Amino acid sequence: MNMKVYELLEQSGVTARNPLPADVEQLKITGISESFLQVINDHLFVTISGYATDGEAYIGNAIERGASLIVTESDLTARENVPFIQDDNARESLALLASAFYHNPSQDKLVIGITGTNGKTTTALFLQHLLKKAGFEAAYFGTVYNEVNGQRYENKLTTPSATEIQASLARSNDDVVVIETSSQGLHQYRMAGMQFDYALFTNLQHDHLDYHKTMEAYYQAKKSLFSLMKLDGKAVINSYTMWGNRLAKELEANGKQVLTVDTKKGATNYVLDKTTDTAVVAFNGQGGQIEEIEAPLSGVYNQENLILATTVMVDLGLDAGNTNEAIADFAGIVRAV
């Protein structure tokens, strides 16, 4: 797989701040890397700064390994024989370039992203299980493992790097992709270039403030997932908390399609009765069909997680009444071997 530089820039929307010579625009790029250790001949190397390291320190190493072009936030004009693209946001550019290089693989799949302080993993695995029971081939990227084409492998991050997720989607033959999207991953633009059919919000708790500093910043990071929905994409939100209620209202005000789960009778879409041992859901609000759905894991949070997953299944046109049978053999949260 390869792509010329000018094609990559056109299709990704990334704009170089510095003028590119014609010969650089015609360079063929054979891969995109943010780690110099992964660079091989004719790769594009994107310098990413982390807490402990600065990607620009490894430009020389990347060139020695065969990188033909550098994307960086700095001006490298003073460095001779280093073709480069200067960009204001290298992290976002990395994700957009990776998506374009792999021909925007998320646009041709049903893609479901899940964010929230708690419940991402359980909701994602509930969804993957229910989708498989309904006959879909379903990939999963998240905390416990990644799974593509039925093969599981260990991961290092809740939300994979931009290059990993795009490369994995490009080789995936799965019908559906379920992705846990962490606030850090969203803030670091790892999901830029992704297109989601459904974006789910579980809850927002006082956590990760060492990274985000304030609850407002934490909320905005979570909310950014919903800006990545496809034009006909839908948000599925636990709206019975302050943050969920706010998110639902803000998205609706911006013209987004929103499905809400609430504890109040007459809620917009689905009602969770937290006074019972089972999760009782009123589909389509007042007067809708009542289904009693029993979560396979104990605790009210797992009821909430299962309702979110079931909401997606129902919106896909599947019968909520099948959920109990389909979820009965859920194996729980098992890490990849």
Side-chain angles (χ1 to χ4, degrees):
M1 180 180 292
N2 62 72
M3 186 177 291
K4 289 186 177 181
V5 169
Y6 80 89
E7 295 174 318
L8 193 55
L9 294 178
E10 285 180 358
Q11 295 181 30
S12 67
V14 172
T15 302
R17 290 176 57 187
N18 56 309
L20 296 182
D23 60 333
V24 172
E25 290 187 333
Q26 293 297 323
L27 287 174
K28 285 188 177 180
I29 299 299
T30 62
I32 299 175
S33 305
E34 69 269 33
S35 167
F36 80 90
L37 295 173
Q38 297 173 343
V39 170
I40 58 176
N41 286 341
D42 297 323
H43 265 208
L44 182 154
F45 176 63
V46 184
T47 64
I48 300 296
S49 296
Y51 286 115
T53 60
D54 183 349
E56 291 187 12
Y58 299 102
I59 289 175
N61 302 84
I63 291 174
E64 287 177 2
R65 294 178 65 91
S68 58
L69 184 63
I70 308 298
V71 174
T72 177
E73 295 177 6
S74 299
D75 186 347
L76 301 183
T77 303
R79 298 183 64 161
E80 295 183 3
N81 301 319
V82 180
F84 74 99
I85 292 172
Q86 185 181 7
D87 183 77
D88 292 332
N89 188 331
R91 287 185 180 276
E92 184 176 24
S93 294
L94 170 66
L96 295 174
L97 290 165
S99 179
F101 182 79
Y102 290 106
H103 305 294
N104 303 307
S106 65
Q107 69 183 359
D108 297 323
K109 296 181 183 296
L110 181 69
V111 184
I112 303 169
I114 304 166
T115 197
T117 306
N118 299 309
K120 292 189 298 295
T121 300
T122 310
T123 304
L125 293 178
F126 280 162
L127 249 176
Q128 187 197 31
H129 182 85
L130 292 173
L131 287 162
K132 286 184 174 181
K133 284 289 187 175
F136 294 94
E137 296 294 330
Y140 162 76
F141 297 89
T143 304
V144 290
Y145 54 80
N146 294 337
E147 180 177 338
V148 177
N149 298 330
Q151 298 296 313
R152 294 182 181 180
Y153 59 96
E154 289 185 308
N155 62 349
K156 297 180 181 179
L157 299 169
T158 296
T159 304
S161 69
T163 49
E164 180 183 358
I165 189 67
Q166 297 294 344
S168 296
L169 289 180
R171 65 183 176 84
S172 167
N173 297 317
D174 300 286
D175 308 304
V176 187
V177 180
V178 182
I179 306 175
E180 292 183 47
T181 57
S182 68
S183 57
Q184 291 98 324
L186 288 164
H187 183 258
Q188 294 169 7
Y189 297 96
R190 290 181 228 155
M191 292 290 98
M194 291 289 293
Q195 299 178 53
F196 291 91
D197 295 271
Y198 291 94
L200 280 60
F201 176 85
T202 61
N203 52 61
L204 192 69
Q205 307 291 337
H206 284 78
D207 202 352
H208 303 301
L209 295 187
D210 55 330
Y211 181 92
H212 295 289
K213 307 305 180 186
T214 67
M215 286 297 291
E216 181 63 23
Y218 187 21
Y219 168 77
Q220 293 297 336
K222 295 291 189 187
K223 183 182 176 182
S224 66
L225 169 64
F226 299 86
S227 67
L228 303 176
M229 293 193 300
K230 297 175 182 177
L231 290 177
D232 59 350
K234 296 180 181 179
V236 182
I237 298 174
N238 271 354
S239 62
Y240 47 80
T241 66
M242 177 188 74
W243 296 106
N245 184 56
R246 172 183 168 182
L247 179 60
K249 289 181 177 179
E250 290 178 353
L251 292 175
E252 287 173 340
N254 288 328
K256 303 291 187 182
Q257 297 185 73
V258 178
L259 303 176
T260 57
V261 174
D262 208 329
T263 56
K264 301 174 183 177
K265 292 183 178 180
T268 307
N269 300 103
Y270 307 103
V271 178
L272 169 63
D273 186 349
K274 298 171 76 171
T275 64
T276 65
D277 291 332
T278 58
V280 181
V281 189
F283 287 97
N284 300 318
Q286 284 183 323
Q289 180 183 0
I290 304 298
E291 297 288 353
E292 291 193 359
I293 300 175
E294 186 171 358
L297 303 176
S298 62
V300 70
Y301 277 122
N302 288 315
Q303 293 179 357
E304 297 170 2
N305 299 334
L306 184 56
I307 297 314
L308 285 172
T310 305
T311 299
V312 174
M313 300 301 292
V314 171
D315 196 68
L316 289 172
L318 302 169
D319 184 2
N322 294 332
T323 301
N324 280 325
E325 181 180 354
I327 204 69
D329 59 350
F330 177 71
I333 299 175
V334 181
R335 294 186 178 274
V337 176

